[in-house]
């Protein structure tokens, strides 16, 4: 089955599309990635997202405009993937949409909202769409995140030691597979969320992110600020747990800086980069991780990658590209896999990862142009992953 996965993470920088031919072969999930593309949001949509995210307040009118605007933007990217990568034929589109709120209350997730109305995608491509993948896990008592744990667990299951997958998006999340134990997955804290917010603040909006970590590299870590940031109880909460930009935003950073001696922009950036490295490393050490498979936009920040390496001298760090999963498209591929599982009647979550009472079938299905026909349900969930070139 040819599947297009669509994803935009909390950084709301771009819509990532990844295409794969996916099949089931006995107990193996066979994944053949065919290509991916990443298309930046238009400034209009991006500004509307930024203006609507917490702690800002918004209106139902703005939410409606966002749902349609993001839906149209996702549809345009799906259409490009269909034409440029799929030679005009695909069986399924799986759309994560754009998270605008992940509602965490005392550690429990009460709801989550991903915008990007799938009707636009189905209308433009003519292909059925699986969307809203997180809500069902939340209804089953889970965190609804990190959902990449399913693909990660299949990938890591074949590796020696205690391997983990780390994605450095707006938020950092890990999946850990210790021998003989059920997979664990959780958000460790911010990866780029605070870095991006601080850069926008310090440059008055001239830059969206600290390109190649240059600003941070010209500063020094401020111990008092790092200590203040590390005091956040989130880091000490046991897994399963998830978080988002409703928690890690600019006012959060400015509050942490209040009452401390002034810190320069460069030193703040260095400190925030170290914060990500320390919290990722603490999470890895707590679970005895020996090998780390890294993906996400944060892998393009050499300072961040070096700092993580320094914090974990005994852990082998490698990019997911080494396994045939492009580090900038791994999440989009993971969602392609989740939608594929849904239409084959296979749950996409691991209760040990999200904390749900049971593994649920994920998502909502929007028909394409033809009557909806689903494949025969799979006899069993896949247990191993085979990635073919
Ligand atoms: N060259 C780079 N240098 C530093 N940071 C980068 C670079 N390229 C991307 N990033 C960071 O990666 C983020 C996007 O990563 P991504 O994996 O798409 O996150 P998300 O899943 O939250 O959208 C950007 O917002 C930026 O912070
Ligand atoms: Mg992104």
């Amino acid at each position: 089955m040819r599947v297009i996965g669509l994803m935009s993470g909390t950084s709301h920088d771009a819509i990532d599309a990844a295409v794969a031919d996916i099949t089931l072969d006995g107990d193996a999930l066979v994944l053949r990635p065919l290509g991916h593309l990443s298309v930046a949001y238009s400034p209009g949509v991006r500004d509307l997202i930024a203006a609507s995210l917490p702690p800002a307040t918004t209106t139902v009118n703005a939410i409606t405009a966002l749902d349609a605007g993001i839906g149209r933007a996702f549809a345009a990217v799906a259409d490009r993937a269909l034409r440029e990568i799929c030679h005009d034929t695909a069986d399924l589109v799986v759309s994560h949409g754009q998270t605008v709120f992940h509602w965490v209350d005392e550690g429990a997730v009460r709801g989550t909202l991903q915008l990007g109305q799938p009707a636009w995608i189905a209308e433009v491509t003519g292909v059925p769409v699986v969307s809203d993948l997180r809500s069902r896990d939340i209804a089953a008592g889970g965190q609804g995140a990190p959902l990449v744990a399913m693909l990660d667990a299949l990938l890591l299951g074949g590796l020696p030691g205690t391997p983990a997958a780390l994605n450095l998006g707006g938020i950092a999340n890990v999946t850990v597979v210790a021998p003989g134990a059920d997979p664990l997955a959780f958000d460790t804290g911010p990866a780029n969320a605070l870095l991006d917010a601080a850069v926008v603040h310090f440059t008055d909006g001239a830059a969206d992110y600290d390109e190649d970590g240059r600003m941070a590299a010209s500063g020094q870590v401020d111990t008092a600020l790092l200590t203040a940031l590390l005091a956040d109880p989130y880091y000490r909460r046991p897994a399963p747990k998830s978080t988002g930009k409703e928690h890690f935003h600019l006012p959060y950073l400015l509050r942490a800086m209040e009452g401390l001696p002034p810190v320069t922009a460069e030193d703040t950036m260095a400190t925030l980069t170290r914060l990500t490295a320390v919290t990722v490393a603490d999470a890895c050490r707590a679970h005895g991780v020996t090998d780390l498979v890294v993906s996400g936009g944060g892998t393009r920040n050499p300072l961040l990658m070096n700092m993580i390496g320094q914090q974990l001298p005994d852990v082998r760090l490698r990019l997911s590209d080494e396994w045939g999963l492009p580090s900038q498209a791994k999440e989009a591929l993971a969602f392609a896999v989740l939608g594929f599982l849904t239409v084959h009647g296979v749950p996409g979550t691991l209760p040990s990862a999200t904390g749900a009472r049971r593994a649920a079938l994920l998502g909502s299905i929007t028909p394409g142009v033809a009557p909806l026909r689903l494949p025969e349900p799979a006899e069993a969930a896949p247990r191993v992953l085979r990635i073919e070139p």
Side-chain angles (χ1 to χ4, degrees):
M1 174 176 269
R2 183 154 296 177
V3 189
I4 303 175
L6 300 173
M7 171 79 201
S8 175
T10 50
S11 304
H12 58 82
D13 55 321
I15 301 165
D16 304 313
V19 182
D21 282 338
I22 311 176
T23 49
L24 290 167
D25 178 16
D27 66 353
L29 182 86
V30 184
L31 184 69
R32 198 155 72 85
L34 297 179
H36 57 97
L37 50 88
S38 183
V39 183
Y41 272 120
S42 68
V45 175
R46 185 158 203 235
D47 291 350
L48 190 55
I49 296 170
S52 309
L53 291 182
T57 50
T58 187
T59 62
V60 176
N61 186 334
I63 294 287
T64 307
L66 271 177
D67 197 33
I70 296 169
R72 281 198 300 268
F74 271 65
V77 176
D79 194 45
R80 262 189 68 181
L82 189 59
R83 284 183 287 111
E84 294 174 18
I85 307 174
C86 303
H87 308 293
D88 291 322
T89 41
D91 303 296
L92 187 69
V93 177
V94 188
S95 176
H96 173 269
Q98 176 66 57
T99 297
V100 289
F101 204 90
H102 189 66
W103 182 16
V104 185
D105 179 16
E106 308 223 332
V109 175
R110 310 271 177 215
T112 192
L113 185 60
Q114 284 76 42
L115 296 182
Q117 172 51 244
W120 295 93
I121 306 170
E123 187 60 22
V124 167
T125 61
V127 176
V129 182
V130 178
S131 62
D132 193 15
L133 290 111
R134 298 192 187 275
S135 293
R136 188 63 176 272
D137 183 67
I138 293 169
Q143 296 276 318
L147 291 188
V148 291
M150 175 57 93
L151 179 64
D152 286 346
L154 287 170
L155 172 73
L156 300 174
L159 305 184
T162 298
L166 166 67
N167 191 72
L168 298 168
I171 301 296
N173 62 265
V174 291
T175 303
V176 184
V177 177
D182 288 330
L184 274 183
F186 58 96
D187 290 340
T188 62
N192 295 299
L194 294 177
L195 283 166
D196 288 357
V199 165
V200 172
H201 175 67
F202 289 130
T203 65
D204 259 336
D208 304 320
Y209 65 98
D210 184 15
E211 195 173 354
D212 301 339
R214 268 188 234 123
M215 193 171 170
S218 67
Q220 299 290 324
V221 173
D222 184 282
T223 311
L225 178 57
L226 183 62
T227 305
L229 290 165
L230 285 170
D232 188 322
Y234 180 78
Y235 304 120
R236 287 185 296 283
R237 224 179 243 288
K241 60 178 176 177
S242 59
T243 186
K245 292 228 270 197
E246 338 30 61
H247 185 70
F248 293 108
H249 48 41
L250 182 65
Y252 168 95
L253 172 63
L254 298 178
R255 260 198 317 273
M257 296 173 86
E258 265 169 30
L260 298 177
V263 185
T264 65
E266 290 76 12
D267 289 359
T268 304
M269 295 304 293
T271 307
L272 291 174
T273 310
R274 179 66 63 78
L275 173 72
T276 296
V278 168
T279 49
V280 162
D282 283 349
C284 289
R285 267 191 302 268
H287 297 285
V289 169
T290 58
D291 287 82
L292 210 43
V293 180
V294 197
S295 60
T299 59
R300 294 191 164 158
N301 181 335
L303 182 69
L304 176 59
M305 293 299 283
N306 283 341
M307 281 188 178
I308 294 173
Q310 280 162 14
Q311 295 287 322
L312 294 169
D314 300 326
V315 173
R316 191 145 65 129
L317 255 66
R318 286 176 289 175
L319 295 182
S320 63
D321 304 70
E322 286 195 30
W323 284 267
L325 298 175
S327 48
Q328 306 306 317
K330 179 169 163 271
E331 292 227 305
L333 280 172
F335 279 91
V337 167
L338 292 178
F340 171 89
L341 293 177
T342 292
V343 298
H344 285 82
V346 177
T349 52
L350 305 166
S352 63
T354 66
R357 288 182 296 275
R358 65 181 201 99
L361 283 171
L362 301 181
S364 300
I365 304 180
T366 304
V369 73
L372 187 64
R373 275 181 221 280
L374 296 181
E376 275 301 300
E379 275 164 25
R383 294 157 56 85
V384 293
L385 175 67
R386 214 160 68 221
I387 301 169
E388 295 186 343

